[in-house]
Structure formats: structure tokens, C-alpha cells
């Protein structure tokens, strides 16, 4: 493994066509030390087999995607049960961080949805803490507030995390979701100072956006995000963990997985690595 | 004119098919006291004729849309000249507020674009102040940060306004752009306390979004925004000005203008007015 990729992780969504085994073996062969699996790929393999695949290939898990969707009205037991299972899976895989996507608004009451999220997060924390899994709150771009995540900024995620110890609740810095934030530097610095940066995920913001904003995430360098400056903020905040490439993009998904890996390594080397060293 | 519509204004973009004269005459006939023209409609009529049309129909201008686009690299004289013309037009129409849409990023340097905006705003303020026109900074939804406006939140707009007297630089509260903000209540309260709420524009957030996010703005009630609670925040912040309906939506644009006016009056009465009285 080349040292320059010692922190680079492949999120399984980036090479969506691969099974977990294919993704892990290809990442390992490409010299990557880590992978960020989604639960669907783990479920296909079975969690015990997934853990064995990771061990056999010497890869660590940067984070498990994802739990959450905790904003529903009414009976919350199904949502909590699913999150308990996600925490168990993270523990079985040795994943230190479980990414939490909050969930959207089932009605027009946004403050209500945010309050339910806070309550249910508090109910999950002890279960996760007992299993050494940190709940990593991911602010999603505000365009997803209605249908996917009522957590929209790092400042808000840190406010939600604040009642809980830093070892139990962290926040995700995903360039696609936070690059526009006028207070991004303050948010990343505060997350670092609180010891709460759980994950650093990278991909680009395409202009124009694709018709479905969910798949408008581009390979680093194909959009308008300045990876150097955001990486420097994360570096200066003291984060030393993995850097996960997570891209939802139909064109990327139509590309051969090995090509995706080579392009992402090259872009990482050109756009991210200089700021890590700097 | 019925008192219940004493603050309701038709933005010309909502009835896009109409000339300025058609929009003004229809708004007046519908009992509205105000209109929010875009500059294209004013230019078609000619500014002197536009002013006469407004006087003849007894309508005031809630705001003029729009100046701005001040983030370009290099020679800024054309952008400043255009903004001077927009200020002149606002003054000629008796428009107290000129909406400013910041402009996007010409390269990957977002902090640089924001700094250029601040510099150029400072250069425009004396010219606008001399003509009794307030520059109304409009935070646009963060999904427009790259290509349209690097001002993304009320807090950021207030920071940009802060160096200038409140009578010279204000901020726009547009429900579509700000509804998701976790710190919306604080932002509206701060804008009110600073005497800087220039305009209150309303339209809804549709789920799912349309493929072109620019025209994903819906008639109040057709989406997920809670107009009662946001109107109450604006009311409690001391804003007593006009409430402008500004919708970009292909289906609305395909509707007869008189129907649009009747629907917007009904939705305003049902969704906004109770909170104004409350």
C-alpha cells in the first residue's frame, strides 16, 4: 500500500455495481486501507461474511451508512429497532461510526420534526455507546430538508450533539452538503474543537445540477468545490481519520469500477493530498 | 379595496405572461394595493410610462427585482453601471427597495466571491442612499450558491449589511429560500431588531422538486412550508410592509392570470392572514 492513500476510503455507493466482496477486493488491490459500506451491501453478503471479507482483505471500515430517519410521527418503535440493528451491524463490522441521516418532514411542522429527532437520538445513544459505535449526524444539503434530512448545517448538528459525550455523537463533514455554508470554517473548527468530527466525505457539486438532485454528486474536480481549502479546514480542526469518496452519479455508476477507483485516486492525489500535507 | 389585502403584492414573475400594464390593471381590479415588478417588464413599458401606469392605477411598488450579480472576476464597471441603472429605475418608480441577488461563483473561490460582493456593495450604497433606495440583500437557497447567489442565509445577509446604515441596506425574507434554516427564528428576529427587513416574499417549496430547481416554487399551500409560523416570526419582528407573492412555476405560468390572482388571494387569506392578525 502506498502511503499517499493511507487515509483514502471507497464508499460502496461510489462503485454501486459491485457487491461488497468485489468492492473490498478491488479497494484492497488498489492500495486503499478502508471502505465505507452501505447497509444494503452488507445485508446481501450477510454481516458475518461481510466482517470476514473485510478481515481477509485487511481493510478497515471508515463508517457504516446509514441509520436515522427518526422524524416520523406516531409509533417510533420500527425506526428505533432498525437503528438498533444498524448499530449492531456497525459493531460487528468494527465500524467506529454509524452515519445518521435524520429524516425529513412528514407534515409542515419542521421544528416538531427536529424535536422528535433530538428525543430519539437521546434514546439511541446509550445503546450505541454500549457497543462502542458513535452516531455520526450528517448535515445534508438544505435542498433535502423536506424529504431526507432536517439537519442542514454543521452548527445545527453540533447543537444536536451537544447534550451527549463526544465519544457517543459526532458529525459528518461531507463537502457536497456543506461547501456553500457561509460559516463553514467556524463549523468545522467547532466540530474539531469538540472532538466530534466522525467522518470526512468528499465529492463535488456539479453545475448545472442534474434533474434529480440526489444524483448530482460529481467526482472531485468535475464541479466547483475547492477541495484544498475545505481539506485544510478539516486538517486544522485536528481530524486524522479516513477520507471517504461517496458519489451518487449515473455517469460514474455507468463506469467500470476499476476505472472509478483509478480516477478517484488521481483526483485525491491532485486535489486533497496537497492540503493534507500542507 | 378590501382591508384584508391591504398588504398583498403581486410580483410580476408570478403572472409572467402579462405586460406591466396588464399586471398592474389586474392587480388593482383585484383589490391589491401593490406590485413587485421585475426590470424586464419595466423596460418593455419604459420607465416613465411604467411610473405613469402605477400612478394611474394607484398602486405602490413593494420592491423592484432586481440588481446584483456583483461577484464577477475582473472589470466590475459593467456590473456597477447596471446596478446604477437599477437604482435609478427604482427611484423613478418610487420603489423603496431594490432586491439584490448577489451572483454566483465564477471559479472555485467562494470566499473570494463573497469578499468581492462586500466590496462592490459598499461602492453602491452611497449612490442608492442618495436616491432613497434601499439595497435589499436576498439570501437565496443554498442550492443556488454556485450559479446565482453566494448569499445563502439571513445571518450572512445581516453580516453583509452590518457595515451600512439600516436605511441603506436591508434583507429579504423569501420563504422558499429560508424556510429550512435551523436558525430562521433568530435570523428574522435579528433582521427585525436591526430594522432591516426590506421585503417579505412568499411561495411554497414543492416535494418533489421540479427537475429545474429555479421553477420549483409553488403556490402557497401546494408544498410543505408552514406559512403561519414564518409569517408570525416576521410579524413579531415588527415588519409591517407588503407581502409579495413571487412564484416561478411552469404550471402557474400556464394558468390564466386572473385565476392566479384569485388563487393567491384565497391562499393568502387562508394561510398568511390569520398569522398577521394573530
Amino acid at each position: 500500500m502506498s502511503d499517499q492513500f493511507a487515509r483514502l476510503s471507497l464508499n460502496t455507493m461510489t462503485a454501486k455495481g459491485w457487491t461488497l466482496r468485489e468492492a473490498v477486493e478491488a479497494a484492497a488491490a488498489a492500495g486503499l486501507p478502508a471502505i465505507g459500506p452501505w447497509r444494503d451491501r452488507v445485508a446481501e453478503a450477510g454481516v458475518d461474511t461481510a466482517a470476514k471479507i473485510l478481515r481477509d482483505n485487511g481493510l478497515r471500515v471508515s463508517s457504516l451508512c446509514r441509520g436515522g430517519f427518526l422524524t416520523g410521527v406516531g409509533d417510533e418503535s420500527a425506526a428505533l429497532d432498525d437503528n438498533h440493528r444498524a448499530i449492531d451491524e456497525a459493531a460487528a463490522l468494527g465500524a467506529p461510526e454509524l452515519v445518521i441521516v435524520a429524516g425529513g418532514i412528514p407534515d409542515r411542522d419542521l421544528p416538531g420534526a427536529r424535536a422528535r429527532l433530538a428525543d430519539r437520538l437521546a434514546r439511541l445513544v446509550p445503546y450505541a455507546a454500549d457497543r462502542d459505535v458513535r452516531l455520526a449526524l450528517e448535515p445534508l444539503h438544505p435542498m433535502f430538508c423536506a424529504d431526507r434530512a432536517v439537519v442542514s448545517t454543521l452548527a445545527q448538528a453540533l447543537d444536536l450533539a451537544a447534550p451527549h459525550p463526544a465519544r457517543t455523537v459526532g458529525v459528518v463533514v461531507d463537502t457536497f452538503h456543506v461547501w456553500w455554508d457561509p460559516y463553514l470554517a467556524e463549523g468545522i473548527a467547532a466540530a474539531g474543537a469538540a472532538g466530534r468530527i466522525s467522518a470526512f466525505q468528499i465529492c463535488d457539486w456539479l453545475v448545472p445540477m442534474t434533474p434529480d438532485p440526489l444524483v448530482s454528486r460529481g467526482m472531485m474536480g468535475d464541479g466547483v468545490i475547492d477541495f484544498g481549502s475545505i481539506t485544510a479546514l478539516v486538517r486544522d480542526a485536528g481530524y486524522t481519520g479516513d477520507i471517504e469518496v461517496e458519489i451518487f452519479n449515473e455517469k460514474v455508476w455507468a463506469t467500470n469500477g476499476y476505472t472509478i477507483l483509478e480516477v478517484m485516486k488521481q483526483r485525491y492525489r491532485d486535489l486533497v493530498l496537497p492540503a493534507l500535507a500542507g
Side-chain angles (χ1 to χ4, degrees), chain A residues 6-273:
Chain A
R7 297 174 60 185
L8 181 59
S9 176
L10 171 70
N11 184 288
T12 60
M13 195 59 92
T14 303
K16 195 185 178 189
W18 274 339
T19 63
L20 183 72
R21 181 183 298 278
E22 288 168 335
V24 167
E25 290 178 353
L32 271 52
I35 195 159
W38 276 59
R39 292 179 67 201
D40 58 349
R41 290 289 171 270
V42 173
E44 287 163 6
V47 68
D48 293 337
T49 302
K52 183 172 187 314
I53 292 170
L54 290 161
R55 276 196 310 274
D56 289 349
N57 286 276
L59 254 61
R60 63 177 174 263
V61 174
S62 43
S63 71
L64 178 66
C65 287
R66 66 188 186 198
F69 290 88
L70 292 163
T71 53
V73 170
D75 183 13
E76 69 216 74
S77 55
L80 291 174
D81 286 351
D82 187 59
N83 278 275
H84 290 152
R85 283 192 295 274
I87 292 164
D88 290 341
E89 290 163 24
L93 297 174
E97 313 277 350
L98 173 66
V99 173
I100 300 290
V101 172
I105 47 173
D107 52 28
R108 292 188 173 89
D109 180 13
L110 179 53
R114 287 172 168 155
R116 289 192 296 278
L117 169 67
D119 288 347
R120 292 166 189 175
L121 181 68
R123 295 183 56 182
L124 287 176
V125 164
Y127 190 94
D130 284 349
R131 287 152 185 83
D132 283 329
V133 172
R134 181 153 72 166
L135 302 175
L137 293 174
E138 180 163 17
L140 257 57
H141 193 283
M143 69 184 169
F144 299 123
C145 183
D147 56 0
R148 201 163 296 267
V150 297
V151 179
S152 306
T153 66
L154 279 172
Q156 180 197 7
L158 288 169
D159 280 353
L160 280 160
H164 310 288
R167 70 176 185 84
T168 63
V169 181
V171 300
V172 178
V173 179
D174 181 314
T175 54
F176 179 82
H177 294 307
V178 304
W179 74 277
W180 59 272
D181 187 344
Y183 307 103
L184 181 60
E186 293 87 339
I188 291 175
R196 292 195 195 264
I197 302 182
S198 287
F200 180 32
Q201 297 181 326
I202 56 174
C203 74
D204 216 332
W205 178 273
L206 301 178
V207 177
M209 287 167 54
T210 60
D212 177 359
L214 194 62
V215 295
S216 195
R217 304 168 68 117
M219 182 64 73
M220 298 80 74
D222 287 352
V224 299
I225 291 178
D226 178 357
F227 288 94
S229 72
I230 299 183
T231 299
L233 292 173
V234 172
R235 174 200 70 204
D236 292 346
Y239 180 72
T240 57
D242 292 321
I243 300 175
E244 207 176 277
V245 177
E246 187 190 41
I247 301 175
F248 299 16
N249 181 299
E250 300 286 353
K251 283 182 193 165
V252 170
W253 289 338
T255 306
N256 176 289
Y258 297 96
T259 303
I260 298 172
L261 266 173
E262 286 313 303
V263 174
M264 84 178 223
K265 285 169 65 179
Q266 179 203 317
R267 301 293 177 85
Y268 177 83
R269 197 170 46 219
D270 293 348
L271 301 172
V272 176
L273 206 57

